[in-house]
Amino acid sequence: MSEIVIRDVRMEDVGALLDIYSYYVENTVITFEYEVPSVEEFSNRIRNITETYPYIVLEEDGILQGYAYAGVFKGRAAYDWACEMTIYLDHRAQKKGFGKKLYGALEERLISMGMKNLYACIGYPEVEDEYLTKNSAHFHEHLGYTLCGRFRRCGYKFNRWYDMIWMEKIVGEHETNTHPIQKYKEL
């Protein structure tokens, strides 16, 4: 039986996380990014995200198998109770339940911060191909997300046009006199 640990990211994780992400940049349209970021750029992304939001990793027997984090949905104060979700698993570690475990742990942290709405921006093919399937949309739907928007042929990668969809999940009550969210690092 393997040991699964979900924990907050550490800066020494950057190399392993960048290895996971690189596969998706170079081989898929799951990210619309064309170039693999440098270690410095990826490290800066983590630092910026962790100023406010959780960034977590999943280890199986001490080996990083995936990561998930939340980020700014829209940079205006009225959107503070909403955030964008991101998840990447090692492409060889799929279909093991790691995604559900990571998202569950991330959701718990976000709810404790006071988040109300979770959003996922997902590359979406008109017709599935070798670069992009509808698996991510199905994964989010299975976790309670619903489609809330679609942008047609807005992303161009590998000489093809792809759609992008937004899915949402409501995780908190929208009371009239709500409290400000807390930064994750201040919980």
Side-chain angles (χ1 to χ4, degrees):
M1 185 89 175
S2 60
E3 181 186 14
I4 306 298
V5 174
I6 296 176
R7 62 170 173 77
D8 291 337
V9 71
R10 299 179 195 133
M11 291 315 291
E12 58 263 25
D13 299 328
V14 169
L17 300 182
L18 191 53
D19 285 344
I20 291 170
Y21 185 62
S22 296
Y23 172 84
Y24 293 98
V25 173
E26 294 170 342
N27 300 289
T28 78
V29 186
I30 290 171
T31 174
F32 280 10
E33 194 156 17
Y34 281 16
E35 301 291 328
V36 175
S38 67
V39 170
E40 180 181 5
E41 169 61 24
F42 204 77
S43 299
N44 287 336
R45 290 178 188 185
I46 292 172
R47 280 189 203 93
N48 290 335
I49 290 164
T50 57
E51 281 298 309
T52 303
Y53 301 98
Y55 197 124
I56 60 176
V57 301
L58 183 143
E59 294 177 334
E60 180 184 38
D61 297 328
I63 298 171
L64 284 172
Q65 299 293 332
Y67 63 97
Y69 61 88
V72 172
F73 171 63
K74 188 80 173 143
R76 300 288 185 268
Y79 293 109
D80 282 355
W81 295 265
C83 64
E84 183 178 347
M85 306 284 280
T86 300
I87 186 168
Y88 286 96
L89 297 177
D90 185 296
H91 68 280
R92 297 162 296 218
Q94 297 179 6
K95 307 293 185 199
K96 293 184 174 185
F98 293 164
K100 184 176 181 180
K101 287 180 183 354
L102 268 170
Y103 252 29
L106 185 57
E107 253 183 50
E108 287 175 11
R109 288 162 169 83
L110 293 166
I111 290 168
S112 72
M113 292 172 60
M115 284 297 162
K116 311 292 184 197
N117 298 28
L118 308 179
Y119 292 95
C121 178
I122 301 167
Y124 195 79
E126 285 185 32
V127 176
E128 291 182 318
D129 63 23
E130 68 271 28
Y131 301 115
L132 188 63
T133 66
K134 296 178 181 176
N135 287 350
S136 186
H138 296 311
F139 166 77
H140 284 85
E141 185 176 46
H142 179 72
L143 296 180
Y145 286 74
T146 57
L147 180 68
C148 60
R150 183 170 181 169
F151 297 82
R152 299 198 183 271
R153 297 182 179 193
C154 65
Y156 184 76
K157 189 171 178 180
F158 301 128
N159 297 316
R160 298 177 190 174
W161 288 100
Y162 294 93
D163 295 356
M164 181 263 296
I165 62 172
W166 280 93
M167 297 183 81
E168 74 178 344
K169 183 175 182 179
I170 307 303
V171 295
E173 295 294 321
H174 292 82
E175 57 279 320
T176 303
N177 293 314
T178 196
H179 299 286
I181 65 155
Q182 290 185 277
K183 291 183 176 184
Y184 178 67
K185 67 181 185 176
E186 295 173 0
L187 290 177

